[in-house]
Structures are given as structure tokens and as C-alpha cells.
Amino acid sequence: MAFPQPKPEKAEMPSKLLRTVDCKQGAVRAVRFNVDGNYCLTCGSDKSLKLWNPYRGILLKSYTGHGYEVLDADGSFDNSQLCSCGSDKTVILWDVASGQVIRKFRGHAGKVNCVRFNEEASVIISGSIDSSVRCWDTRSRRPEPIQIMDEAKDGVSSLQVSEQEILTGSVDGRVRRYDLRVGQLFSDFIDSPVTSVSFSKDGQCMLSSSLDSTLRLIDKDTGELLGEYTGHKNSKYKLDCCFSDKDTHVGSCSEDGKVYFWDLVEGSLALAFSIGSGVVQSLSFHPRESKLLTAMEGNVQLWGKQSDEEETVD
Amino acid sequence: MAAPTEQLDYVSFGTPLELLSEDEPLKRPVPLQEQTVKDDRGRIKRFHGAFTGGFSAGYFNTVGSKEGWAPSQFISSRQQKAEKQVFQPEDFMDEEDLAEHGIAPREIMTTDDFASLTKNQIRSKAQALSVLAAPIPGATVLEDLIAASRISIGVKLLRKMGWKEGQGIGPRVKRKLQRQRNGAGLRLYGCSLPPEESDKSEEEDDAYIPENVTFAPKDVTPIDFTPKDNLHGLGYSGIDPGKALIGGVLEEHIHLFSVESERTSNLLGSEGYSTTRKIGVSGQAFGVGVLEEEDDDIYGTESLSRYDTVIGEEEPGDCMYGWSAPYEYSKKNAEFIKDIAYAGKILEGFTKPSKSLSIKKIYLPPELPRDYKPVHYCHPVMSTSNTSYQKSSDLMTSCRQMERAALQNSRHQMNAVLRRNLIEEPTLPGPSSVFDLLSNEAKKRIKEVKQAVEQKQLSQSLPSCIQTVSTDEALRAWQNICGNEIGTFKPFEKIPEKQARYEKYISKLKQGRSDALEASLDSQMTEWERGREREEFVRAAMLYKPSNSTLASRFTQGKHEDDSENVYVVPDHEDDLNDKEAAVKMKMFGQLTRDAFEWHPDKLLCKRFNIPDPYPSSSIVGLTKVKKDKYSVFNFLNVMENTKPHLKQSQSDLSTNQKPDKASIPLKSNRQSRWDVPGKENDKKDSLSEFITFARSQSLSERQGSQPDSSEPAIIPKEQTAPTLDDLEEKRPSMDLFKAIFANSSDDESSSEGDGDDEDNQQGQNKSSLIKDPTSLIECQEPSKNKTKETFSNQEECQPTKSSDTSENLATQEEFGPRLPPVVPYGTVSLSSGSVFPETIKRKYKEKQNKHKPKMDHKQKRYKKKKKHRKHKHKSKSKKKIIEGCTSSSDSTESSGSDTGASSSVLSTEELLKRIKVSLQRHEKTW
């Protein structure tokens, strides 16, 4: 006799401020959870990359070596390495524990907007304003990239890597998906400059945010539009968008100092809460829990569910 | 001493003793303990034990150094890791050990696996030695007992094939049951045979043999064919002096009559017994020694009863193992025996032939003639008189045979000459034909033959020319072709007239005219030229006749010439942007907005992603490319060609305005950044353009400037404002010039200015954001070097509040892409503490916010003023600062009010100008 499945809890979006961390590294250009969501990386405009425990607000390590502000970072699957990119046109591979630079990849002609590890951290993929996406080999010592994808007509603002695909969003208004297994490049035209792209957790959908203040949910296979989410404001800056931990909601930063969450299916605005009066530069959703990191100016804020206990401020 | 002659007579051995001088005392002989023995290398050798066998792991006998073995150096570095060493016993041996008489002599020998069961000599020798050396003689017996049974590989193989010990080798045979015979007491002399296996005559066995029972063949032991070269009796061997003292070794001798199988069966037991027992002298000739306890009746064993007394019974055929013994007479073929009695015994398996062989008859070789010489002379004499016509014509045509064949068949049969002609290569130096090598006589002969043939041909009026044959064929080939194949192939393209003639020829061929060739040739040419052309045409027509469809189908004409001016370019399918934009507007995402390309990931990338290469055989990386003209502009103009031209123009205009440094950026200069285009939303925020739009809309009272291409008005106002105030303004230079002059490298101010610009449109939020930006604020408070720059660079810059020290040139370069949100300088008070700001700063900040608006007006004004009164310009500049101050101090309403744009929209330009003037005057007063 089987019991009926418990009704799935309604996903609660993080809206309660759990902690505010002043990163003391200038403006925080990006904030990223690590792979298991226990730590986070902040990219500062003072050329430093910092590793935090956001729950306790502890700075674990500061990584210095960039020549200009750091724009994006990612952690490897085993938390042993970090990669970061910045305006100094380099991509740097870091050793987490020692804080040393393992490799420094040069080759981009402009500032590097986004960087990601692949699943096994054997390749670093970086997208730059020079409209190229470069794949760097972390296993060998060769200085040249494995492959350069320069199909974009304008700067690459965002990229995501899945098991077999590389998803890039470019300012030329296109979302390009390089499918390695199939050997195809799918290019979806979204008229407005794309600032951020994201894969859904199930890998079926792509989310793109563009400068027309719209988030679009696109079917990965057909390129059809599954949903459009508006209400926030994104017309100038490169702001992040994300899926929630269970793909129930999509979220985005906004230039009006708020974070917006929409119901993925209905497309209705589910939640909008104010972070501050500045521009929410970056956000990162916890991979498994309903937790959210936002970056505004020099601060990183951790948000949780209402039921979450607020951490003691030290 | 001795005379030399005497010396010659003797042969001396050894080293002579030193001559004794009488003065010296006698040398002491070297005592025994100090005498040394040296080995062949001069090393001092010490003896341990009796011979070299003593165990001493010291310097003198084993290792070549005093310290013993040098410990292996431990070397390990990052590059060179110490590998684990596995030592063999041989590693600790020196060459003496490995020498012939050492512990581990090195020689090639069969391994145990492949060794036969018979013990090799060395082993037996060593065994004998060990027996001797062992404290208890015969102690090795135990070892023999325990020793692991080693089976040679042959035996193993045989066993796997089903062989069992005691059986013979070979296919199973159907045979009568063996009758076991009690042969225990039988003796054999000379050759020892296994008696139990010896088969008897088969006579009695016929009765009870099952039909389907097969037996393994009999085992065969090789017969010892050692010739007997002594005078002893059969089987006798005398006492071996070497073994005489060891009784155990003699066991073979003693058991003279024990057969092989017996011996092997009780080898260990009996032997061990005997060896332990017997010591001292023993043997046939000696009898029982004194030391032997058991008083064996050694003579008694040699009883005559053990000898075989019967002759003949002992020779069964089956027992003739291994060699072809004479066939056994059986009673069955007794009658047959008689027949072959004369021939002696018949070998087993053989029978006498029923038919006698016919004798081969041998014939003698033929006798050679007397004058025969075994040398061959060739005399190809061919006289004209007696050669047949057929032959000579063959000869004549043979020289052109190949050429003709090539013409008639396909290109594959072309010879070298033909090919050379085709590619117009010069002939090789040297003799061109075989005829050059012939002697004069031979040439003469050939000439004669040729002449004769020609004469005959003429007389018989045969179809003379080979050409005609091929022309006919060409005619046939081309006759049924109606297509325009000639267009595809132009063999004489270089000479247009010739090509024209050729085409004429071909067309006539198509019509089926037999005089095609002659008609198409130019009659004005010389005969030689015509002949040549004729030949060429026919050849070309044959070579490229349309029936060669294989040839035609294999090739296609190149669309482009293979020149260096071509380049491979990715096919751009993304250029139908109009459709796509429409689709996006209609939200018809999907097929309309999607492009799919074949994309080849790098092999290594696939490897790193753990994904099989989707195109394993291709060497392309990236998108597949097509060839395009290298210098075509269209290769590089694939970005925005679809968008409206005027927008594009203005956009480039704007971009140059915005970014003077952009031109100096080398990267991707051929690609326009989309960020240069103010987006639809951006445009609205562009305060300058908006303001101008307002002005224009006011003055023209036209449509509101909600146009998508709002960058357009950025140009228009120049013209529009100019006519209104153009009394002294002759011609205004372009914005670029101003920009070039006034814009400086640091965009701090401009960025802060950009912030200010933003304020105009987004007043709701800008206030708070600016508050958080004290540094930029402060910067703005510093007297700016030239305010003109601000006015001109009021297009939004992307790094609005970059900290002043870092954002120099780089910042200006990086103005692509979505902007990064404003930087909060290090250590800035956070959002919550924004209220803690000193009041002054706040106020100043407000000023800064407000500054923008009047500045705009002022700018407009200044344009005019500058031209009007040069001297006044200076004044205005200074005034401008004051304006800021006054506006900030005086009217907070206007600045903080969110409706500056709205208010300005209400006001007309004239009114605005008037206002500014008033304020200016007012400030002048205060100044």
C-alpha cells in the first residue's frame, strides 16, 4: 500500500536577509556560489578575488594577481581550483588552498567578461569583449587555447557550460549554443544585447536576459520562446539572471536596486525585494537550497527563506 | 759465463733466477703466509675453503671494492624520480661468478620447460659432485624424492592431446587386444625392450575383439644403436675407474638385466637403497667388499635361468620400436611368405607389389653436330622483296600505334609523348627515338621497307591516313550530341581564333558532316600548320568527346579561379536580420530566429569533455568555411548591414563622438560594437539628444521624439539651431573636432557627468545612487579644466563612477558591452550608512546633480556665444561655475524635482535661453 506522495512544498523564494558582508574590495563585480553552495567567490574591482563563507561572513582567502578588476570567477567541481577573468584580458587559474596562480592564460584582445570551468575542470572557457570564446586547457601547459569560437559579432557577455554544451550570450543579440556531441552551433536571435544566459537545471531550457529589460526562456532544442519575464529594469548594465534551485522560478538583478523573481511557468512576478538603492550587479542562486547571494556595490548579501534563522552578525 | 754459442744450443724454460752477487746478503725467502696468489687481473686472491666455493662476501673474492658493495645512490628530483629497483641475484655477482666455472655460468641452454626428461650433463655432474661433497653420501636422494615433478612441454602438449603415459603417439588404431604376457624373467641383450609391452603374435586373439574398440598405438622407445666397438660380451661393461669407488653409482651395472621400465619404476627406492648401502669397492669384478655388510650373492644373481634360451620367440613385430624391423612372419600369410622368400623379410606395413614395375627406358641424348657452338646470333634480315605487305605495314604503323590507341581509347592509354604534348612540355634532350640509335645500315633498311610499303599502299589505294580513321571516330562520337559540351571545355582558350575554329569544327561534327575538319580549318594557313591543327583538333575532339561521360561527371568547372586572392570565410547565414527582427517583434521565436551550423569542435576539446568527436574524420575546426574573395568588402560588413542606413550613419557618428579613443583600439576594428548604438531605451536617456529633441519638437511643433532612431536628432539640431542663430555663426565644425580637442583621456568627469546625465531621466533613482559615490562627487567639485568637455561628452559613458586613480585610458578603451555598475570606492560607507555623509558633501553632490541641467542650457548658449563674442566666451566659462553654485544653492526644487524633463518640455527653447541669460546676469552680479 503506497502512500501518496507528499505534496511538494511550495518553493519559497529567499527574501529574508540573513547576512550582509562588506567585501572591502571595491565594487563587487560578481558573486558566485561554489559548486556545493557552501562558499562563495566575489570578484572585486580592486583586482582581488575573494573566497568567503557567506553564512558566517568569514573571509577565507584573498587571491591577488589580476592586473585590473576581476569580472567573473568560477570554482571547479572538486573545489580545488578557481578560475577568474578580468579587465586585464587574462584568465587565471588559481589553486584554492595556496592562493597561488597556477596558470595565467593570455590571448584575449579585450577584457574578459565571463569564465567557466567545464564539468571536469579540464577546460576553462572564457568569453571576452573581443567577441571570442576561448577554451583553455588546464591539463597541458600550452599557452594557446584549444579552440577559439569567434562566431559572435560582438562581445561575449556571458557563458555557461554544461556537460556537452557551451552556451554563450553575446552583445550582438544572439544566444549561441555549441553542442559538442552533435557538432552543431545553434544560434538564437534575440534582438537585444544579451547580458546573461543560463541553463535550467534539467538542461532543457535556456534563460537569457537582455538589455530590453526582458528575460526570455527558450527551449533548447527548438529555439522556441517558452516564456517572457518583464518588470525589472535592465537597460544599461550587464546583470545576471538565474534559475532557482528547483527551476521553479527565474530571477534577475535589476537596475532599480531590486531582485525580481518570476514564476517560471506562469510568468507572473512572484517576488521582488529591494536590496538597496544602487544597481544589483550580480546574483547567484544556491545550487540546492533556497538561498541567494546578491552583490550591490561593495556588499554581498545572503538571502534565505523566511524560516531561515538569521545569522548572528559579528 | 756461458758462451753465446752455448746458449743457442739450449732451450730455457721458466724464469731464470736472479744472478747472485756475492756482496749482497742472501735474500730471505718469502714466508708462506706472505705469498700471494693473484688472479688473471692481478687482484690478490685469497682462498676460502678448498676451492672457490667458500662463502665469503668480502672484498677479495666477490666484490671489486674494499667497502663491499657501494650503496646505490639515492637520486630523486622533480624531473627524475627514483625508480624502484628489483634486484636479481645476478646483480650481486661479479664476472667471476658468471664465468664458466662460477656459480651462475652464463650459457645458452634449454629451459626446464623445454628440456627433455633426460637429465643434462651439467645437472648430473653437479648432482654427482654434491653427492660427493655431501656430508652423508646419498643425501641428495631426499631432494630427488621431494623434487617437484617437471614435465617437459612436449609431454604437456601430448597430454592435452589425450596422450597418456605408457601409450604410443599417433592416431588410435583398431587392433587386436594385446595379450599380456608374463615377461618378467625375460632378458634382452644389447637393446633393452619393455617386455610387458612387447606384443605377441596375434594368432590367438582374433576370437574376442570388439569391433569398435580402438587402441592407442604402442609406445616406442628408441633403440640404442650405439655400435659395439669392444670385445666384451653383450651388455658387459667393465668397472668404470672413476666410479669404482662409489658403489652407488654402479647400480646400473649391477642391475644389468633389469629392464628400462623396471628401472624407472623403482628408480628412487632401490637406487637409494643401494647407494646408501654400498660404499667402497664393488662391482662385478670385485665381488663383495670388506666394508659391505650385506653379503650379496652377486654371483648368484647371474643365474642362467635368467637368460633366454629360445631364439625366435622373442622377436615380435610390434616390438620393433622405432625402427623398421624385419617383418614378422605370421601364419596367416604363410603362403605369401613363400613368394617373397627370395626378397627376405618384408617391412611392416609394406606388401609385395602385385604388379612388377615397368622398367623405365632411358634414351640417350641426341648427339650434337660437330660444328655446334652454344652461342645465339640474331639476324633480323628483312629484304624488301620477300616481306609480305601485311608485315611491313604492321611495322610501319607500329611506331604510331600507341598514339593512335590513345586517341581511340581513353586518356588512360595516353603515352608519354601525348601527355607531354598536352601539357606543352619541351621534349627531353637526347635521342628522341630508337631510330637515332640505329646504325646507318639499319636505317637504310627501314627506309627501304617503308618506301615499299608506301608504294604498295598507293597502288592498292587503301585508306591512307590514320587520321581519317580517327576523324571518323570523332565524327561518330560527336554526331549524336546536341548539348553544348563545348562550352565546358576550351582546349585552345589561349588563342581565340583557334578556339573559334575548333568550335566550328565541333559544331560541324555535331551536325554529322564528314568534312568537318577540312571545312573548319583556315585555308590561309600553311600546309604544315593546317596539318598540325588538324591533328590537334581531332585529338582534342577525341579526348574530350562527350561520350567520355566518366570524365565529364568527375569534374566540374571551378567557379572561382584558384588564386591567392581568395579566402575562406564562414558562410554568414545570420544576415537576414530583418526577418529575424520581425520575428522577434512578433515573438515568433523558434525556427525563424534559429540558425544551426555545422560546427567542428577541436579534437582535444572533445577529449577534455569526454565526448566522442562528432566528426572524427574531419580536420576542420570551428565552422565550415566557404571560399570568398579575399578583398571583398562584404566579408567584413556582415554586422549591421540590414539596419536602417541613416541609423547606421548616425550611430557611427555617435560612436565617434562618444569614444575618441576607440579608433586607437586595434582589436576588431572591423566590427562595430552594438554598444555603440544607443539602444532604444538608451536613446531616451540620452539627455543631449533628448533635449535637442525637445527643442526641435518645440520649434517645429512636430511629432514627439519617440522615434527608435533617436540618434538622428543628434545631428539635426546642429542644423536647426544654427538657422535660428546663424547671424554670426559661419560654419560649425563637427562634433568630432570638439571632441578631439576637448576630450581628455580620463573619463572620470565624463563618467560622473554621465551619471549626471542619467539623473535627468531617471531622477527617481539617481539621487540615492549618486549619494553613495562621494569620490566621484568630490572629483566633480574640483574645478574642471574645461567644462566644454563635459558638455560635449555628455553622452553616457559606461563607467559612471570609476575611481579616479584606476580609470585612465583603460576605462576609455573598455567601453564596449554592457556597462558595469558604478564602483563604490574602497572603504566607502555602505548603503545603510549613507545618511552619515557629511552635510557638505551631500549638498555638493546635489549641486553636481543639478549642475547638469543648467549646463545643458548653457552649452547651447555657449555655442552661440562662442561665435558671437570670442572674448565673452572666457567670461561665460567662468560664469558657468557660478551657475552651478547658484543653482545648487538657490533652487533645490528644480534639481531634485523629477520633472526637469517635463518642465523643459513645456518650455520652449527661447524661453530656456532667456532663463539662462537671466541667471547668468544674476550671477555676474554676484561675481
Side-chain angles (χ1 to χ4, degrees), chain B residues 426-441:
Chain B
T427 50
L428 292 170
S432 63
S433 96
V434 191
F435 290 98
D436 295 351
L437 301 173
L438 291 177
S439 64
N440 282 334
E441 275 180 42

Side-chain angles (χ1 to χ4, degrees), chain A residues 26 31 47 101 133 143 168 174 243 295:
Chain A
V31 60
K47 314 172 192 176
V101 175
V133 172
T168 68
R174 284 173 188 278
F243 281 94

Side-chain angles (χ1 to χ4, degrees), chain B residues 900-918:
Chain B
T900 42
S903 64
S904 64
S905 68
V906 177
L907 301 170
S908 68
T909 41
E910 280 89 356
E911 210 166 0
L912 274 172
L913 289 171
K914 214 187 282 172
R915 257 197 215 175
I916 291 161
K917 242 178 214 166
V918 169

Side-chain angles (χ1 to χ4, degrees), chain A residues 24-27 29 45-46 68-69 71 87 109-111 118 120 122-123 125 129-131 135 137 139-140 142 146-147 149-154 161-164 166 171-172 174 176-193 195 206 211-212 216 219-225 228 233 235-238 255-256 275-279 281 297-299, chain B residues 570 572-577 580-581 584-585 587 589-615 621-623 638-639 667-668 671-675 680-682 685 755 758 762 765 768-769 772 796 798-800 802 806-808 810-811 813-828 830-831:
Chain A
K24 296 194 172 64
Q25 54 177 168
R29 289 306 185 200
S45 63
D46 73 338
Y68 207 61
E69 60 180 358
L71 293 179
S87 297
K111 70 175 182 183
N118 75 334
E120 293 190 343
S122 55
V123 182
I125 296 143
I129 202 169
D130 68 358
S131 80
C135 307
D137 194 357
R139 298 269 169 88
S140 75
R142 73 172 192 172
I146 299 173
Q147 190 170 6
M149 284 93 91
D150 52 359
E151 283 76 38
K153 301 289 191 297
D154 207 335
V161 180
S162 77
E163 192 182 344
Q164 66 203 34
I166 300 169
V171 183
D172 63 0
R174 284 173 188 278
R176 288 183 178 79
R177 184 167 61 88
Y178 300 88
D179 196 322
L180 271 77
R181 196 181 287 280
V182 184
Q184 294 255 315
L185 159 62
F186 300 100
S187 163
D188 287 310
F189 184 70
I190 293 162
D191 198 18
S192 176
T195 61
M206 312 183 289
L211 282 193
D212 53 358
R216 288 184 178 85
D219 186 90
K220 198 180 82 175
D221 294 328
T222 63
E224 284 163 5
L225 185 71
E228 246 185 349
K233 184 168 182 311
S235 55
K236 281 190 293 187
Y237 302 132
K238 172 188 169 318
E255 286 163 16
D256 55 6
I275 304 282
S277 53
V279 176
Q281 301 195 357
E297 285 145 4
N299 297 319
Chain B
V570 178
D572 194 20
H573 303 290
E574 299 187 350
D575 40 20
D576 48 343
L577 280 182
K580 285 184 181 152
E581 274 176 2
V584 167
K585 267 178 198 143
K587 304 204 173 170
F589 285 88
Q591 289 196 338
L592 287 175
T593 57
R594 167 159 284 207
D595 296 302
F597 307 97
E598 186 178 314
W599 177 70
H600 296 244
D602 195 277
K603 302 233 180 315
L604 184 59
L605 195 66
C606 291
K607 213 167 133 193
R608 292 277 186 266
F609 270 79
N610 285 329
I611 278 173
D613 193 349
Y615 306 101
V621 171
L623 292 184
N638 45 12
V639 186
L667 67 101
K668 305 266 179 184
R671 287 181 173 169
Q672 287 177 325
S673 173
R674 221 187 141 104
W675 295 101
K680 285 153 197 163
E681 290 81 16
N682 286 358
K685 276 137 219 153
D755 247 353
D758 281 346
Q762 322 161 10
Q765 60 193 20
S768 56
S769 70
K772 278 168 265 140
E796 289 177 352
C798 69
Q799 309 282 4
K802 201 150 262 187
T806 52
S807 63
E808 315 253 24
L810 233 170
Q813 282 180 13
E814 307 276 334
E815 295 175 9
F816 301 92
R819 268 151 272 184
L820 293 165
V823 176
V824 176
Y826 187 70
T828 328
S830 67
L831 175 74

